[in-house]
Amino acid sequence: MNAATTTVPVIAIDGPSASGKGTIAERVAEALGFHYLDSGALYRLVALAALQVGVGLDDETALAALAEDLDVRFSGGEIVTSDQIVTDNIRSEVCGIGASQVAAFPAVRQALLARQRAFREAPGLVAEGRDMTTVVFPDATLKIFLTASAEIRAERRYKQLKEKGIDANIRTLLLELRERDERDSARSVAPLQKAADARELDSSGLGIEEIVRQVLDWYRQKVAGSQHL
Ligand code: C5P
């Protein structure tokens, strides 16, 4: 990070799987004309690459090398790696679970750090994941910890999969979500946790528009507050 990039505003959103971070972050970015970083996609890409080339999901050194060399482009809503469009492939539960396994390795996280910070470009960035508020952008303008009950998150994931014509079982989804929450929160490096200076937003009973409006209101208050200093 240099002085020029740290003046670029960042809205950092963390939270557990299927809390709605992706949709909210994308909408907020669109409303403000900001860039958008889906950091989970990077961990999913590492898992996908490992599965494709036969690297074990327990081989930290080889996984970190894959993360370092990741050839990825985010272009027009598509994710392209080595000329392959993988936008849908990385959304599979296999990649999600694999991502959470590779994400527990410090060397993998370190290999992805500079790549994530490089998304911080004018006029601003909305970044979502598990450690956006705590590790990647500790100086973010606004920090949000977005939650929802595990049952509601499993239901949302179930509907998303059904809409895509993918068969799913809600009880299995709930179990997988709980396992993933546990692994993401209990790991020793960059665990999922609410930053002391983050605002908590429970999305359980709220619609997408309400949540987006709340985030935008908080951001505008922050900006107005800092201009009066
Ligand atoms: O957000 P998403 O479900 O796509 O993330 C997949 C996995 O990647 C998470 O379960 C988590 O283990 C890992 N991840 C992470 N840090 C981030 C984003 C995602 O550890 N900033």
Side-chain angles (χ1 to χ4, degrees):
M1 267 188 288
N2 56 39
T5 56
T6 50
T7 58
V8 173
V10 177
I11 299 179
I13 306 179
D14 286 327
S17 303
S19 55
K21 302 182 304 288
T23 310
I24 303 304
E26 249 181 317
R27 296 281 186 96
V28 171
E30 212 175 271
L32 295 169
F34 280 13
H35 299 280
Y36 163 57
L37 167 63
D38 167 6
S39 62
L42 296 174
Y43 291 94
R44 286 171 181 266
L45 281 160
V46 175
L48 179 69
L51 294 168
Q52 284 181 339
V53 300
V55 162
L57 295 182
D58 55 354
D59 186 342
E60 181 170 7
T61 309
L63 290 167
L66 281 180
E68 194 74 55
D69 296 341
L70 214 54
D71 162 30
V72 56
R73 268 183 302 123
F74 293 84
S75 151
E78 298 286 8
I79 301 175
V80 185
T81 179
S82 312
D83 288 335
Q84 212 191 336
I85 296 180
V86 294
T87 323
D88 291 335
N89 308 33
I90 62 161
R91 292 290 140 217
S92 69
E93 286 305 294
V94 177
C95 279
I97 294 165
S100 140
Q101 285 172 273
V102 307
F105 291 121
V108 173
R109 306 198 72 85
Q110 185 58 38
L112 293 177
L113 197 55
R115 199 186 281 266
Q116 295 174 81
R117 289 186 174 150
F119 278 79
R120 186 174 199 167
E121 279 187 15
L125 173 69
V126 184
E128 53 103 349
R130 304 294 186 291
D131 62 345
M132 298 298 99
T133 58
T134 51
V135 176
V136 183
F137 301 109
D139 62 336
T141 319
L142 174 65
K143 299 183 180 183
I144 310 265
F145 192 70
L146 191 66
T147 59
S149 73
E151 288 74 14
I152 287 198
R153 290 185 285 125
E155 225 169 274
R156 285 181 188 160
R157 177 65 43 93
Y158 179 77
K159 280 193 195 145
Q160 277 172 357
L161 292 172
K162 279 277 165 196
E163 276 165 19
K164 287 187 190 159
I166 301 170
D167 214 22
N169 175 300
I170 198 153
R171 286 170 64 93
T172 314
L173 286 174
L174 182 58
L175 275 176
E176 284 173 357
L177 270 181
R178 288 209 163 115
E179 259 176 49
R180 189 123 71 92
D181 285 355
E182 173 60 28
R183 193 165 38 229
D184 289 348
S185 311
R187 69 182 175 217
S188 56
V189 53
L192 170 66
Q193 60 183 6
K194 181 184 163 300
D197 52 352
R199 288 175 184 254
E200 186 160 347
L201 184 51
D202 185 342
S203 71
S204 301
L206 301 176
I208 292 171
E209 297 310 327
E210 281 170 284
I211 306 168
V212 170
R213 211 175 312 127
Q214 177 65 80
V215 175
L216 288 172
D217 282 352
W218 279 339
Y219 178 67
R220 288 179 181 129
Q221 283 166 19
K222 276 266 178 187
V223 173
S226 65
Q227 280 166 355
H228 288 123
L229 289 180

